[in-house]
Amino acid sequence: MIKRKNILKIAIDSPAAAGAGTLAKAISNHYNLIYLDTGKIYRLISYLKLKFPKKFNETFLKKKIKYLKIKDLEKRDLITDDISAEAAKIAKNKSIRKIVHSFQLNLAYNPPKKYNGSCLDGRDITYKIIPDADFKFFITANLKTRALRRYKELKVLNKAISYKEVLKSIKKRDKSDYNRRISPLKKTKDSILLNTTKLSKRQCFLKIKKIIDREKNF
Ligand code: C5P
């Protein structure tokens, strides 16, 4: 694998709807890093599985991932509850994870030249994808806050779902993400914990920025 030297690598892990994506995007913009929401890849795979159940196999998937561009991940509506639930199931599949990992590694260690580095968020980024990241963060928030944030996000998109249903589905996903055997969600010892429950987006961003600037003498 090609590894670009002297790049800034940021690894973020978090449970569902903790605000990691919003934060990672702001940090990536600020430091000119390529940003990858790795959950979107599992979501895209779920979408493909639900849409093309007959075609869906390893060869089909390898081809899709081989030609995958980050902007493809923005195209489709991947936030639905069905896709979220399927993504958590798919994420337990060892061979699917293997296919996805090489895509993630390449982006993390060999971002396009116009970027100063990379920022990835997901469930196993801090210990499996970028174990030597310059900064590792574990972003979390309490369950009810996360469910409310996701509920509001879905409402804006006109999805017919109640707060209770969102809460139930996030609870189920947490259970699966934290307890699965393959690449479970966990906070590594060397990750900095940020609980976003009582913080605004701006406050979260400033906290992370302060940590990075202090260390990097920006
Ligand atoms: O982050 P997001 O909620 O979009 O992720 C959807 C699902 O994909 C998660 O519930 C998790 O099971 C899976 N995932 C994963 N590893 C990652 C990112 C996401 O297993 N690095």
Side-chain angles (χ1 to χ4, degrees), residues 165-178:
E165 284 170 313
V166 177
L167 183 74
K168 198 174 156 201
S169 111
I170 290 196
K171 226 180 186 172
K172 198 170 163 197
R173 214 138 61 85
D174 274 1
K175 202 173 161 203
S176 165
D177 288 352
Y178 276 111

Side-chain angles (χ1 to χ4, degrees), residues 13 16-17 37-40 42-43 84 87-89 91 97 104 121-125 150 173 176-177 180 183:
D13 283 322
D37 172 352
T38 62
K40 282 236 175 90
Y42 294 97
R43 287 173 181 272
S84 305
K89 277 193 220 157
R97 291 201 83 87
Q104 298 174 354
D121 72 8
R123 304 292 186 278
D124 57 349
I125 309 301
R150 180 52 48 89
R173 214 138 61 85
S176 165
D177 288 352
R180 68 187 182 206
S183 297

Side-chain angles (χ1 to χ4, degrees), residues 30-48:
H30 186 77
Y31 295 101
N32 186 33
L33 310 174
I34 194 161
Y35 166 58
L36 178 64
D37 172 352
T38 62
K40 282 236 175 90
I41 307 177
Y42 294 97
R43 287 173 181 272
L44 177 72
I45 296 171
S46 311
Y47 164 85
L48 293 171

Side-chain angles (χ1 to χ4, degrees), residues 116-132:
N116 299 330
S118 57
C119 175
L120 274 67
D121 72 8
R123 304 292 186 278
D124 57 349
I125 309 301
T126 54
Y127 68 95
K128 201 159 225 171
I129 308 296
I130 329 179
D132 63 343

